[in-house]
């Protein structure tokens, strides 16, 4: 199978690229800078430019592009970057598939999205047909997914990866959290009652591969089967690292440090992988302790 991958330099993209190649697939990557390396091509999603000949002949196009949501404080300028980096990337690929498609057109477009689509859903279980929220990230996800419409309109199968918190030793979350836990200065965030829809990196990659191979379309929650509250998550990571996690971070403090992004940290989604489970996908990490032990000790 031939796969075109945009966003191959990130945590998920690099792991997916390596896994697909290890399975014998031909993976080509789109880069935002000039390149002459084999199986690569440059593109400019901000200007809506991609070479349709590079997409032609591929079986699947996967788009994981987008600046980090928690990488910087949410100024108005950075919020625009969060939105545009996602909408421009998916939109550029979808329009190219629609305009230049035909014989040899990729049969599927698999696009990143996020459980932020649901906003803060409290303790309510959310599946793929649950309504969208009213937060900034919920609006980003709606526009992000809508950007794929041109491809869907011409018959390309489109799947949206509503991913939760990806657990890996080198993820942003673990790089920030692990040292604090090891120092014994970590604890629940705010009330600790907000749900954390986690997934291990290895299951994230396996789930994307599953979606590449199977005929699923529309939104798909990429989350572990048992979401936990923040308080429970912190208790488990403390147990895995053999450290206490008893020092809470009050909500007002997080708002001072994180600004508007604190609303996302103090909220959450009890999202479950209904579509994946119904399609027969089997998780390697079915509980958060298994996922954290794999992430922190592999």
């Amino acid at each position: 199978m031939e796969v075109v991958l945009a966003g191959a330099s990130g945590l998920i993209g690099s792991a997916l690229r390596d896994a697909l190649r290890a399975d014998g697939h031909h993976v080509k990557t789109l880069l935002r800078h000039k390149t002459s390396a084999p199986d690569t091509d440059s593109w400019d999603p901000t200007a809506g430019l991609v070479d349709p000949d590079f997409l032609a002949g591929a079986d699947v196009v996967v788009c994981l592009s987008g600046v980090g949501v928690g990488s910087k404080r949410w100024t108005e300028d950075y919020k625009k970057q969060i939105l545009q980096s996602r909408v421009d990337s998916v939109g550029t690929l979808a329009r190219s598939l629609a305009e230049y498609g035909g014989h040899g057109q990729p049969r599927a477009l698999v696009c990143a999205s996020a459980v932020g689509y649901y906003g803060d859903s409290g303790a309510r279980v959310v599946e793929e047909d649950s309504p969208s929220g009213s937060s900034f990230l919920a609006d980003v996800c709606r526009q992000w997914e809508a950007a794929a419409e041109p491809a869907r309109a011409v018959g390309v199968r489109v799947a949206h990866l509503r991913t939760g918190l990806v657990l890996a030793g080198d993820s942003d979350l673990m790089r920030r959290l692990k040292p604090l836990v090891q120092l014994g200065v970590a604890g629940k965030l705010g009330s600790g009652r907000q749900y954390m829809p986690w997934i291990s990196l290895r299951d994230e990659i396996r789930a994307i591969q599953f979606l590449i191979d199977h005929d699923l379309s529309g939104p798909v929650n990429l989350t572990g089967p048992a979401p936990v509250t923040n308080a429970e998550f912190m208790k488990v990571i403390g147990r895995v690292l053999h450290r206490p996690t008893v020092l809470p971070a009050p909500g007002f403090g997080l708002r001072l440090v994180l600004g508007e992004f604190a609303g996302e940290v103090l909220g959450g989604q009890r999202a479950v992988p209904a579509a994946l489970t119904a399609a027969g996908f089997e998780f390697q990490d079915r509980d958060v302790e298994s996922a954290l032990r794999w992430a922190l000790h592999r």
Side-chain angles (χ1 to χ4, degrees), residues 277-297:
T277 301
F281 180 80
E282 296 184 1
F283 288 85
Q284 285 188 264
D285 298 301
R286 296 193 58 81
D287 60 76
V288 72
E289 183 159 347
S290 169
L292 283 169
R293 289 192 182 280
W294 175 82
L296 296 171
H297 295 317

Side-chain angles (χ1 to χ4, degrees), residues 50-53 55-56 94-106:
V50 65
D51 183 356
D53 290 338
L55 305 181
R95 288 190 298 272
S96 180
L97 296 182
E99 185 174 356
Y100 298 102
H103 181 69
Q105 169 181 280

Side-chain angles (χ1 to χ4, degrees), residues 48-64:
L49 299 175
V50 65
D51 183 356
D53 290 338
F54 190 73
L55 305 181
D59 298 287
V60 180
V61 176
V62 180
C63 184
L64 304 176

Side-chain angles (χ1 to χ4, degrees), residues 103-191:
H103 181 69
Q105 169 181 280
R107 63 174 183 266
L109 175 60
V110 177
C111 312
S113 185
V115 292
Y117 173 91
Y118 306 107
D120 180 8
S121 60
R124 173 173 54 88
V125 173
V126 292
E127 299 183 353
E128 286 83 355
D129 59 354
S130 296
S132 184
S134 58
S135 67
F136 165 70
L137 284 187
D139 182 56
V140 168
C141 290
R142 285 193 296 270
Q143 294 189 56
W144 197 0
E145 295 182 8
E149 186 57 35
R152 189 169 15 244
V154 296
V156 175
R157 176 176 68 90
V158 177
H160 301 287
L161 312 174
R162 290 183 182 166
T163 296
L165 295 167
V166 179
L167 303 183
D170 52 352
S171 68
D172 285 343
L173 176 65
M174 288 296 104
R175 283 203 304 265
R176 295 179 184 186
L177 194 54
K178 183 178 179 181
L180 297 177
V181 174
Q182 290 174 323
L183 288 171
V185 294
K188 66 181 182 180
L189 303 178
S191 71

Side-chain angles (χ1 to χ4, degrees), residues 28-281:
K28 303 193 300 184
T29 58
L30 285 167
L31 306 174
R32 290 174 180 262
H33 56 79
K34 290 185 178 181
T35 177
S36 59
D39 292 328
T40 65
D41 196 22
S42 59
W43 72 319
D44 185 354
T46 303
L49 299 175
V50 65
D51 183 356
D53 290 338
F54 190 73
L55 305 181
D59 298 287
V60 180
V61 176
V62 180
C63 184
L64 304 176
S65 299
V67 302
V69 169
S71 299
K72 295 181 181 180
R73 193 175 180 88
W74 279 10
T75 62
E76 289 304 311
D77 180 65
Y78 196 65
K79 286 167 68 175
K80 289 178 182 177
Q81 291 182 48
I82 290 172
L83 175 63
Q84 292 175 348
S85 64
R86 288 161 170 75
V87 172
D88 290 349
S89 296
V90 172
T92 295
L93 293 171
R95 288 190 298 272
S96 180
L97 296 182
E99 185 174 356
Y100 298 102
H103 181 69
Q105 169 181 280
R107 63 174 183 266
L109 175 60
V110 177
C111 312
S113 185
V115 292
Y117 173 91
Y118 306 107
D120 180 8
S121 60
R124 173 173 54 88
V125 173
V126 292
E127 299 183 353
E128 286 83 355
D129 59 354
S130 296
S132 184
S134 58
S135 67
F136 165 70
L137 284 187
D139 182 56
V140 168
C141 290
R142 285 193 296 270
Q143 294 189 56
W144 197 0
E145 295 182 8
E149 186 57 35
R152 189 169 15 244
V154 296
V156 175
R157 176 176 68 90
V158 177
H160 301 287
L161 312 174
R162 290 183 182 166
T163 296
L165 295 167
V166 179
L167 303 183
D170 52 352
S171 68
D172 285 343
L173 176 65
M174 288 296 104
R175 283 203 304 265
R176 295 179 184 186
L177 194 54
K178 183 178 179 181
L180 297 177
V181 174
Q182 290 174 323
L183 288 171
V185 294
K188 66 181 182 180
L189 303 178
S191 71
R193 292 191 296 270
Q194 68 272 32
Y195 273 84
M196 299 180 66
W198 57 271
I199 185 170
S200 68
L201 177 62
R202 62 178 173 180
D203 276 338
E204 172 83 3
I205 300 307
R206 292 177 60 250
I208 297 174
Q209 291 176 290
F210 185 88
L211 290 170
I212 288 173
D213 293 335
H214 291 74
D215 192 26
L216 271 73
S217 59
V220 182
N221 289 345
L222 267 60
T223 60
V228 296
T229 64
N230 173 258
E232 187 176 354
F233 181 90
M234 294 307 300
K235 185 183 297 184
V236 173
I237 194 174
R239 184 162 65 241
V240 169
L241 293 175
H242 308 289
R243 299 296 296 159
T245 51
V246 295
L247 295 177
F252 73 86
L254 289 172
R255 291 185 180 92
L256 285 174
V257 173
L258 300 177
E260 186 179 350
F261 182 55
E264 302 293 336
V265 174
L266 295 170
Q269 303 83 26
R270 196 176 182 178
V272 294
L276 275 177
T277 301
F281 180 80

